[in-house]
């Protein structure tokens, strides 16, 4: 339904799902259709205070224009005197980060399935000239079938089960980002390498006690593979082909989808079927 002028009165608000720096996300139901959505509420004075109107507008234009099975839909938005409301697709499975923390680390089939889904979503974003979707476990949700959804709005949302180092973590930033150089599409390839490592080992590859140490580890590509959990050599090869300092030498997205580790382990329809 592409009704234009939504208002808060069209929705029954449910439990809060999480809270961010700029506002909260609630479970909600459209009153007439009973359709379940997530309603993200941002306070205007917060946006004005941080002069984020333009970023918000750009994020909304991007999010509205993206239609992909692994990107959370923005159905629409509306505002009142003090708040802006985003009507977002509801992902029933919750935060992938929560699943990663609960399991400690993912098996290779699950990790490869998520990496393949992310690669498909990023290839779609890149062909729409959208880069740096800021993909980190905190921005990834799961739908009712365990399919991954990139849910970032570009806003740093602090959810209950986020790492304390979450705000300002460098863990996911590529060297050119950390050095604040102009970044191009290849930052996303780097991030896929970081995520693949974190899915398999439960911690990001360059984690350190301080941001300065993380910075140093990233710039040095100080990559080490722990002896446990047991991870296949193919997975390590893929990670090594993505965590390359020279962004032009990182494995391109289309080659990731043809990588032996992905071919051998990823579930083609994106749902990780726990029970083979
Ligand atoms: C936008 C959106 C969210 C969403 N779904 C969910 N978001 C968040 C947490 C969301 C959040 C929001 C802001 C800041 C931090 C977290 N937590 C969720 C937790 C869920 N459950 C049900 C499944 N359980 C395994 C875990 C708890 C289900 C959906 C969730 N769909 N669409």
């Amino acid at each position: 339904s592409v009704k234009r002028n939504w208002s808060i009165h069209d929705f029954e608000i449910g439990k809060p799902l999480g809270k961010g720096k700029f506002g909260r996300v609630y479970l909600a139901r459209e009153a007439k259709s009973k359709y379940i959505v997530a309603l993200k509420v941002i306070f205007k004075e917060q946006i004005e205070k941080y002069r984020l109107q333009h970023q918000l507008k750009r994020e909304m234009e991007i999010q509205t224009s993206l239609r992909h099975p692994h990107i959370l839909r923005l159905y629409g938005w509306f505002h009142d005197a003090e708040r802006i409301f985003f009507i977002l697709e509801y992902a029933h499975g919750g935060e992938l980060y929560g699943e990663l923390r609960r399991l400690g680390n993912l098996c290779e089939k699950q990790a490869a399935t998520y990496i393949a889904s992310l690669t498909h979503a990023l290839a779609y974003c890149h062909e729409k000239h959208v880069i740096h979707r800021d993909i980190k476990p905190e921005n990834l949700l799961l739908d009712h079938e365990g399919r991954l959804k990139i849910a970032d709005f570009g806003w740093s949302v602090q959810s209950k089960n986020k790492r304390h180092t979450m705000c300002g973590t460098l863990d996911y930033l590529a060297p050119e980002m950390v050095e604040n150089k102009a970044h191009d599409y290849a930052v996303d390839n780097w991030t896929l390498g970081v995520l693949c490592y974190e899915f398999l080992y439960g911690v990001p590859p360059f984690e350190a006690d301080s941001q300065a140490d993380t910075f140093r580890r990233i710039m040095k590509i100080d990559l080490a593979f722990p002896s446990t959990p047991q991870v296949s050599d193919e997975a390590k090869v893929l990670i090594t082909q993505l965590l390359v300092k020279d962004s032009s030498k990182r494995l391109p997205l289309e080659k990731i989808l043809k990588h032996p580790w992905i071919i051998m382990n990823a579930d083609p329809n994106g749902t990780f079927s726990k029970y083979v």
Side-chain angles (χ1 to χ4, degrees), residues 93-108:
E95 295 176 284
L96 190 153
Y97 179 62
E99 170 150 326
L100 184 58
R101 268 193 11 153
R102 191 166 45 81
L103 297 169
N105 60 286
L106 306 180
C107 71
E108 301 209 41

Side-chain angles (χ1 to χ4, degrees), residues 255-273:
K255 289 232 168 44
I256 297 174
L257 292 172
K258 296 192 185 87
H259 195 278
W261 184 67
I262 295 290
I263 299 293
M264 278 188 323
N265 292 288
D267 181 300
N269 67 355
T271 61
F272 165 66
S273 45

Side-chain angles (χ1 to χ4, degrees), residues 101-151:
R101 268 193 11 153
R102 191 166 45 81
L103 297 169
N105 60 286
L106 306 180
C107 71
E108 301 209 41
K109 288 198 175 308
Q110 193 167 3
T113 302
Y114 290 153
I115 293 299
S117 304
L118 279 165
T119 306
H120 282 297
L122 287 173
Y124 170 81
C125 287
H126 289 187
E127 85 199 20
K128 307 265 288 188
H129 309 299
V130 170
I131 55 174
H132 191 40
R133 300 292 302 152
D134 190 14
I135 43 174
K136 39 185 178 266
E138 285 78 7
N139 288 335
L140 303 175
L141 294 169
L142 296 167
D143 72 5
H144 61 292
E145 287 174 313
R147 276 202 184 85
L148 177 142
K149 299 270 179 179
I150 300 179

Side-chain angles (χ1 to χ4, degrees), residues 4-48:
R4 290 274 169 255
N5 52 347
W6 292 106
S7 92
I8 189 67
H9 307 297
D10 293 313
F11 297 93
E12 290 147 5
I13 309 294
K15 66 175 181 173
L17 291 167
K19 67 181 173 59
K21 204 157 63 172
F22 302 104
R24 286 167 178 256
V25 177
Y26 297 88
L27 181 62
R29 189 168 69 176
E30 200 278 319
K32 287 191 191 56
S33 64
K34 303 288 179 222
Y35 194 79
I36 299 287
V37 293
L39 208 55
K40 185 179 181 123
V41 185
I42 293 187
F43 290 96
K44 286 183 177 174
E45 45 104 15
Q46 286 290 316
I47 298 303
E48 277 133 26

Side-chain angles (χ1 to χ4, degrees), residues 15 17-20 25 38 72 88-95 141 157-160 162:
K15 66 175 181 173
L17 291 167
K19 67 181 173 59
V25 177
L72 201 77
L88 287 161
E89 176 184 354
Y90 179 63
H92 296 71
E95 295 176 284
L141 294 169
V157 285
Q158 316 297 331
S159 90
K160 49 204 169 301
K162 282 244 166 42

